[in-house]
Amino acid sequence: MKSFYPAKFYPEPLRRIRYHDAKTQKSFVFLTNNFRLPSLTIPQLYKCRWQVELFFKWIKQHLRIKKFYGDSPNAVKTQIWIAVSVYVLVAIVKKELQLDTSLYTLLQILSLTLFEKMPVQQAFEASDYISENNMLCNQLNLFTS
């Protein structure tokens, strides 16, 4: 590719690889600056990279990691493994107690009742938290006369 705009934004030579996926019947075009790897390896690397992207998307959606407390690889891996372990443990509790509530809701309930001393089964019973008029049982209403 020798034109003004590509040379302006990326001055090094690029390799263009066209790949047709037989499963999905889709064609893809990849640009790379790697001239050493075989042509088929480049689409495989992108496919693996996409799996990594999907994994981190799942982490953002399902695990409650707002920020990493360390920036070393060991700190990040430890925090991710702890969050995955908690997620799996809650899934096991859900199955053992035969709860119909979603894992997301169970994690929310646990995060709210983390330091309360009560049986686990009681934490997941909705009747303990919500009264007939859909308010928290132990909450006062400031706007009633």
Side-chain angles (χ1 to χ4, degrees):
M1 274 188 207
K2 290 290 182 182
S3 68
F4 174 74
Y5 291 108
K8 179 181 176 186
F9 294 118
Y10 192 81
E12 300 297 318
L14 292 175
R15 177 180 176 195
R16 184 175 186 236
I17 298 172
R18 182 180 297 242
Y19 174 75
H20 181 75
D21 186 8
K23 287 183 183 177
T24 61
Q25 295 298 319
K26 291 184 179 180
S27 292
F28 299 95
V29 177
F30 300 100
L31 292 176
T32 180
N33 61 353
N34 190 322
F35 289 90
R36 288 187 234 154
L37 292 176
S39 298
L40 191 56
T41 304
I42 302 298
Q44 290 171 344
L45 287 172
Y46 274 93
K47 186 175 183 179
C48 291
R49 181 177 181 262
W50 183 247
Q51 294 301 316
V52 171
E53 293 288 336
L54 290 176
F55 173 68
F56 278 103
K57 179 181 177 185
W58 181 87
I59 284 176
K60 288 179 183 178
Q61 290 175 345
H62 293 89
L63 304 182
R64 298 180 56 109
I65 299 176
K66 299 297 179 194
K67 71 173 196 162
F68 289 108
Y69 295 108
D71 55 1
S72 72
N74 189 45
V76 172
K77 287 177 189 177
T78 301
Q79 192 171 347
I80 289 173
W81 275 114
I82 289 170
V84 169
S85 299
V86 168
Y87 189 85
V88 170
L89 287 171
V90 172
I92 291 170
V93 167
K94 177 185 177 190
K95 184 176 180 184
E96 288 293 319
L97 297 178
Q98 299 174 350
L99 300 170
D100 293 330
T101 314
S102 70
L103 279 175
Y104 177 79
T105 305
L106 294 177
L107 288 166
Q108 293 287 76
I109 291 169
L110 286 174
S111 70
L112 293 174
T113 60
L114 186 62
F115 295 109
E116 292 185 28
K117 189 175 182 179
M118 70 172 68
V120 173
Q121 183 73 26
Q122 183 183 349
F124 297 130
E125 292 175 2
S127 61
D128 289 341
Y129 296 105
I130 301 174
S131 66
E132 295 82 32
N133 46 353
N134 217 14
M135 293 177 55
L136 293 176
C137 294
N138 62 352
Q139 180 176 346
L140 297 174
N141 192 345
L142 298 175
F143 301 107
T144 58
S145 350

